[in-house]
């Protein structure tokens, strides 16, 4: 008799140290993911965050969603929360890490997406849906998705896609 697959668990990475601890697992997921493109590589995203993060986001705004099946990392959605407007209150926009810099400094990454193990895209999208329903945000800016992105299945129910 076959053991059932372990359930998926989701976790939100909010610190640089926690993110750095994912380097090896991220590299393995990147190598396996059908959505892998250079702007989703760990080094690309970490470099962007070091250079532009302080200018685009307030401290504590990292929101990288990780999805695991048991101990195995099976999905990653690299986001941050950008708050625009005066004072502590403003428009809360969830964006891909590596987007949101000033127009003159844009790096213009294409095909940002959900990194996932083959066959786990639907389960990862459901984890994303749950994360979005539990997170405070006003606008979801998932720009430059490919036409084949599993995130498109989130559709209009979330607005702003």
């Amino acid at each position: 008799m076959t053991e059932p697959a372990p359930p998926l668990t989701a976790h939100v990475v909010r610190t640089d140290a926690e993110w750095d601890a994912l380097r090896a697992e991220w590299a393995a997921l990147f190598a396996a993911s059908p959505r892998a493109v250079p702007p989703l590589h760990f080094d690309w995203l970490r470099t962007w965050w070091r250079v532009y993060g302080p200018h685009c986001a307030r401290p504590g705004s990292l929101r990288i969603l990780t999805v695991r099946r048991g101990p195995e990392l099976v999905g990653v959605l690299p986001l941050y929360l950008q708050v625009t407007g005066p004072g502590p209150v403003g428009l809360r926009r969830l964006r891909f890490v590596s987007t949101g810099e000033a127009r003159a400094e844009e790096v213009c990454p294409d095909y940002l997406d959900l990194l996932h193990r083959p066959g786990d895209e639907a389960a990862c999208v459901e984890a994303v849906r749950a994360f979005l329903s539990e997170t405070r945000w006003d606008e979801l800016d998932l720009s430059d998705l490919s036409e084949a992105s599993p995130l498109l299945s989130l559709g209009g129910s979330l607005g702003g896609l």
Side-chain angles (χ1 to χ4, degrees):
M1 187 168 171
T2 306
E3 293 276 330
L8 289 181
T9 57
H11 174 73
V12 180
V13 170
R14 295 175 182 256
T15 69
D16 288 353
E18 196 177 7
W19 189 7
D20 288 339
L22 292 172
R23 178 182 292 275
E25 289 180 289
W26 192 300
L29 181 61
F30 184 87
S33 180
R35 311 299 328 146
V37 293
L40 289 171
H41 192 276
F42 184 92
D43 292 333
W44 172 289
L45 293 168
R46 269 315 261 129
T47 300
W48 186 94
W49 187 247
R50 274 192 287 279
V51 172
Y52 294 105
H55 304 287
C56 295
R58 297 175 182 178
S61 63
L62 199 57
R63 299 289 186 278
I64 298 176
L65 179 66
T66 61
V67 182
R68 292 181 180 278
R69 183 175 307 285
E72 182 184 17
L73 185 67
V74 297
V76 171
L77 184 62
L79 300 175
Y80 73 99
L81 184 66
Q82 182 182 55
V83 180
T84 56
V89 179
L91 178 69
R92 295 171 307 226
R93 179 179 295 133
L94 277 173
R95 309 185 80 143
F96 278 117
V97 172
S98 80
T99 64
E101 64 276 75
R103 200 174 217 23
E105 297 178 337
E106 281 183 311
V107 293
C108 302
D110 287 330
Y111 305 120
L112 294 170
D113 212 334
L114 169 72
L115 282 177
H116 62 83
R117 292 256 177 223
D120 279 321
E121 54 271 24
C124 288
V125 167
E126 286 311 306
V128 170
R129 187 183 311 277
F131 161 74
L132 292 173
S133 71
E134 297 165 1
T135 303
R136 292 185 54 184
W137 54 278
D138 300 310
E139 183 177 299
L140 180 63
D141 182 1
L142 300 181
S143 57
D144 299 317
L145 286 173
S146 78
E147 293 175 358
S149 173
L151 293 173
L152 293 174
S153 69
L154 294 170
S157 63
L158 297 172
L161 266 180

